[in-house]
Amino acid sequence: MLNVETRHAIHPAHAKDMDTADLRKHFLAEGLFADGEIRLVYTHYDRFVLGGAVPAGGSLTLGKVEETKTDSFLDRREMGIVNIGETGKVEAGGETHEMNYGDVLYLGMGSGDVTFSGAGRFYITSAPAHRAFPSKLVTVADAKEVKMGAIETSNKRTIRQFIHPLVMESCQLILGYTTLEDGSIWNTMPAHVHDRRMEAYLYHGMDDASRVLHLMGEPQETRHLFIANEEAAISPPWSIHAGAGIGSYTFIWAMAGDNIDYTDMEFIQPEDLR
């Protein structure tokens, strides 16, 4: 079963007047993972798509998606898939890829229908592509690790880069994930914006009672979302994105836009936030 929801772009002036319910309606993606379903959110931020596929021991195939008006979803798109569950398989382009927890699969433009099977919980990200790059499975061991932060500032963390220029080639999709060390809560501080790219955060690895306080909005007009396990924040190019959580958690970051320069960002120091 396939379910697709469309999210239109929001002007920052409009966001200033939103109440909590409106902010959650436009910028929070809930209920992405349901047994026996593929659920997608089609955003008008750089035409980025995010979602989940849970075959629950069976199989699910992602083929034609009406919103793209192409014969197959990947005819003019690339895709990054992260397995946040048990071992599963993804078939595309005549190849079968076994994915363990934390592995990332890149599928290039023109890969055809995508079939998910096994016990995996597959997080899906996708962006338009202008060129076909080879599909590639990047395991946890293959990722580039970057250590950042410190215990003293409560943001000691490990960043793992998967779909990234230092690891592999893609058109505009960049993806990786960040894991906080014990005792650290801030995932991205100081906060930043990058007007040339949108970004989405999927939070996972949390227990049912835990939440992340996700900061968004313009630096001088911040807003917030309380986010539960396996929920995602959709960040427009004008919005900061940072958060602090209760207990341990991991967030998957994925970006699309004008370039694939991971360092292309403007930092906002805490004293400048309002």
Side-chain angles (χ1 to χ4, degrees):
M1 180 183 293
L2 172 66
N3 290 288
V4 184
E5 177 189 355
T6 297
R7 300 284 183 95
H8 292 279
I10 301 298
H11 192 279
H14 182 190
K16 293 177 183 179
D17 295 327
M18 288 183 174
D19 61 15
T20 299
D22 281 339
L23 288 170
R24 294 178 70 86
K25 176 182 177 182
H26 289 285
F27 301 108
L28 179 65
E30 303 174 274
L32 294 175
F33 300 90
D35 286 356
E37 295 186 33
I38 299 173
R39 294 185 175 183
L40 302 177
V41 178
Y42 180 98
T43 82
H44 282 252
Y45 299 111
D46 295 296
R47 302 289 171 171
F48 183 85
V49 173
L50 68 156
V54 187
S59 66
L60 296 167
T61 298
L62 177 60
K64 184 178 178 64
V65 175
E66 188 62 30
E67 283 71 9
T68 67
K69 299 299 181 183
T70 54
D71 291 336
S72 183
F73 183 64
L74 291 181
D75 281 355
R76 295 179 59 84
R77 285 181 161 270
E78 58 187 348
M79 179 183 289
I81 303 165
V82 187
N83 184 11
I84 62 171
E86 298 178 23
T87 300
K89 293 181 180 180
V90 177
E91 299 175 50
E95 296 183 303
T96 299
H97 307 272
E98 184 171 276
M99 297 182 66
N100 296 313
Y101 174 83
D103 289 346
V104 174
L105 175 64
Y106 172 82
L107 296 177
M109 182 181 72
S111 292
D113 293 355
V114 184
T115 299
F116 304 88
S117 61
R121 296 175 73 81
F122 299 101
Y123 177 53
I124 297 167
T125 64
S126 176
H130 60 273
R131 179 182 170 191
F133 285 100
S135 298
K136 183 174 183 178
L137 176 66
V138 185
T139 67
V140 177
D142 296 329
K144 179 175 174 56
E145 284 194 3
V146 179
K147 302 286 186 180
M148 293 191 70
I151 291 295
E152 294 77 12
T153 49
S154 302
N155 66 348
K156 191 173 184 181
R157 60 200 189 274
T158 299
I159 299 171
R160 291 182 174 88
Q161 300 166 337
F162 290 83
I163 303 175
H164 187 283
L166 296 177
V167 180
M168 57 163 290
E169 288 188 294
S170 65
C171 283
Q172 63 165 320
L173 183 64
I174 308 173
L175 180 146
Y177 51 78
T178 301
T179 302
L180 279 293
E181 295 199 9
D182 289 342
S184 289
I185 59 170
W186 284 104
N187 59 44
T188 306
M189 188 56 66
H192 62 269
V193 296
H194 30 69
D195 193 56
R196 291 147 298 282
R197 297 193 304 268
M198 64 76 64
E199 187 164 7
Y201 279 14
L202 178 83
Y203 292 98
H204 73 98
M206 302 156 57
D207 61 39
D208 292 341
S210 294
R211 294 293 184 272
V212 169
L213 172 63
H214 180 88
L215 299 178
M216 59 162 293
E218 293 180 284
Q220 301 299 310
E221 288 280 351
T222 59
R223 300 291 186 266
H224 69 268
L225 302 167
F226 276 99
I227 300 184
N229 189 48
E230 296 187 352
E231 295 180 347
I234 300 167
S235 296
W238 49 262
S239 176
I240 66 168
H241 30 275
I246 302 169
S248 61
Y249 66 96
T250 293
F251 72 97
I252 301 169
W253 42 266
M255 293 177 271
D258 269 339
N259 63 55
I260 53 173
D261 180 1
Y262 178 79
T263 63
D264 178 17
M265 62 187 76
E266 289 81 51
F267 287 100
I268 314 298
Q269 298 304 319
E271 60 265 29
D272 295 323
L273 294 171
R274 299 290 184 269

